[in-house]
Amino acid sequence: MAIDCGAEVARAADILRRGGLVAFATETVYGLGADALNPTAVARVFAVKRRPEFDPLIVHVADAAWVPRLTRAVIPSARKLMDAFWPGPLSIVLPKADCVPDLVTAGLPDVAIRIPDHPLARALLLATDRPLAAPSANLFGRVSPTSAAHVAEQFQTGIDYILDGGSCTVGVESTVVRFLSDPDRTGSWKCELLRPGGVTIEQLQQVIGAVSIAEDSGHPVLQAQSAPGRLPRHYAPRTPVKIVSGPTPAGEGGRVGFLSRGPVADSAGFAAIEVLSQTGDLSECAVGFFAALRRLDSADLDLILAESFPEQGLGRALNDRLRRAANTAVV
Ligand code: TXA
Ligand code: MG
């Protein structure tokens, strides 16, 4: 995308430097940004999103030179991941430096950092010349925004500016990984996947070898404190969601919608159908996933049936979002 938004970026950067809130495009989803080193601004993000303060924010930076300023230790395998995937949809959790406010990390000793791969986001980060704490720009627990219009729908007030960078090209949030010291081998570190996202576990393993998948603790608050994106109910529309392995409306009463990975042979029985990809391609499914979920959510349905994805590549991130959208447990 050719971008000539100098004046808009300058205005947005000025707002951020004064402690304001700016929603901006990234390649994954839109973020709701504030100066990460200004606790008052960060507090506004929590308030506007109605986000509980136990849920830490990802810090976005323009380049990796920020990492030693924001962290206490850059682990060699983390460095390899930065070299391989930044800019891009990977957030790396590292021990935080004192300058990072506790509010950003929800009191945790670690901070999540990423360089987004979107020209407008990077222009904004450069112009602001500060790290930006930015959760997805949606109300807490709701469907993530992949366009400026999605952000505007949820936030009529509270945000000072929306930097419109078009539709997001990845469509699911960044992968979040954490490094833990390995109790079996002094001085070495283990990499743990906290949230599947735009960089697949297979891609991570190609670069650093073993990556373990963090277990859900089963306890919502403990869970939230270590990796809030893993709350049982998250990314959720208002309409109930049920995961199925194919288009099987039989037995479901009322107005039923279907979120399909690929073309649907028999559409009878559905009040609305969203086909994510004509070829079932997982990257294409990810790009349109949240927008399709939103359209179904506004189609006055009693139930959304959603087809599960193969548990590989981006399918893992998509299944993760689906499971949390479908979970009726109260957070
Ligand atoms: O793609 C993305 O990551 C988007 C864009 C805007 O960059 N941001 C995003 O932020 O998805 P959010 O707040 O919706 O999700 C951030 C997740 C948290 O729920 C948590 O799982 C993890 O990142 N996280 C952040 N800081 C952490 C920390 N210090 N330790 C462990 N997990 C952390
Ligand atoms: Mg989010």
Side-chain angles (χ1 to χ4, degrees):
M1 179 178 33
I3 288 194
D4 180 16
C5 306
E8 283 147 65
V9 168
R11 181 165 167 213
D14 186 52
I15 291 169
L16 287 164
R17 292 172 68 89
R18 291 164 191 262
L21 303 191
V22 171
F24 61 96
T26 82
E27 78 282 27
T28 57
V29 300
Y30 273 67
L32 177 55
D35 177 353
L37 303 181
N38 176 343
T40 314
V42 172
R44 280 188 64 205
V45 172
F46 282 92
V48 166
K49 254 193 82 117
R50 288 185 230 143
R51 179 176 176 120
E53 289 181 5
F54 60 65
D55 192 351
L57 307 182
I58 294 170
V59 173
H60 299 67
V61 294
D63 66 70
W66 275 100
V67 175
R69 295 164 71 177
L70 300 172
T71 64
R72 278 183 293 107
V74 184
I75 294 140
S77 7
R79 176 66 64 193
K80 281 192 193 161
L81 293 182
M82 290 172 202
D83 292 344
F85 299 112
W86 280 3
L90 178 68
S91 298
I92 303 179
V93 177
L94 292 167
K96 87 174 187 75
D98 290 343
C99 66
V100 179
D102 288 334
L103 190 55
V104 170
T105 67
L108 294 170
D110 305 312
V111 58
I113 305 181
R114 88 174 185 102
I115 303 180
D117 187 16
H118 189 293
L120 214 48
R122 296 195 69 198
L124 179 66
L125 286 160
L126 283 171
T128 311
D129 196 27
R130 308 261 165 96
L132 296 179
S136 50
N138 52 277
L139 291 169
F140 180 70
R142 294 275 159 208
V143 181
S144 301
T146 52
S147 73
H150 294 162
V151 179
E153 266 165 36
Q154 287 206 343
F155 298 100
Q156 275 91 28
T157 58
I159 297 187
D160 300 306
Y161 197 71
I162 300 177
L163 195 55
D164 187 346
S167 291
C168 301
T169 52
V170 173
V172 286
E173 294 85 348
S174 62
T175 301
V176 182
V177 293
R178 165 167 68 186
F179 286 87
L180 299 170
S181 57
D182 188 341
D184 301 330
R185 291 165 60 214
T186 316
S188 69
W189 299 82
K190 291 196 305 190
C191 180
E192 192 180 49
L193 179 82
L194 294 180
R195 177 176 75 178
V199 172
T200 67
I201 193 164
E202 293 87 347
Q203 289 175 299
L204 296 173
Q205 284 165 337
Q206 270 174 15
V207 176
I208 55 163
V211 176
S212 60
I213 298 178
E215 292 294 319
D216 274 4
S217 72
H219 186 294
V221 173
L222 289 180
Q223 190 66 50
Q225 282 168 344
S226 67
R230 297 159 67 217
L231 280 167
R233 184 163 172 80
H234 213 86
Y235 313 104
R238 289 189 176 76
T239 316
V241 175
K242 186 172 159 188
I243 303 171
V244 292
S245 53
T248 48
E252 307 287 355
R255 282 173 56 80
V256 179
F258 186 54
L259 179 62
S260 177
R261 179 183 169 203
V264 178
D266 182 6
S267 58
F270 293 113
I273 293 185
E274 289 285 343
V275 174
L276 292 173
S277 165
Q278 287 303 325
T279 58
D281 175 72
L282 291 174
S283 305
E284 203 183 336
C285 289
V287 171
F289 177 78
F290 283 129
L293 205 51
R294 274 166 190 268
R295 282 192 295 272
L296 289 173
D297 198 24
S298 53
D300 194 24
L301 301 169
D302 298 300
L303 179 68
I304 299 169
L305 295 182
E307 185 179 8
S308 60
F309 299 89
E311 191 68 15
Q312 65 189 45
L314 281 178
R316 274 206 189 83
L318 290 166
N319 282 335
D320 171 80
R321 305 307 185 266
L322 265 190
R323 278 195 290 273
R324 289 172 216 282
N327 200 316
T328 49
V330 177
V331 289

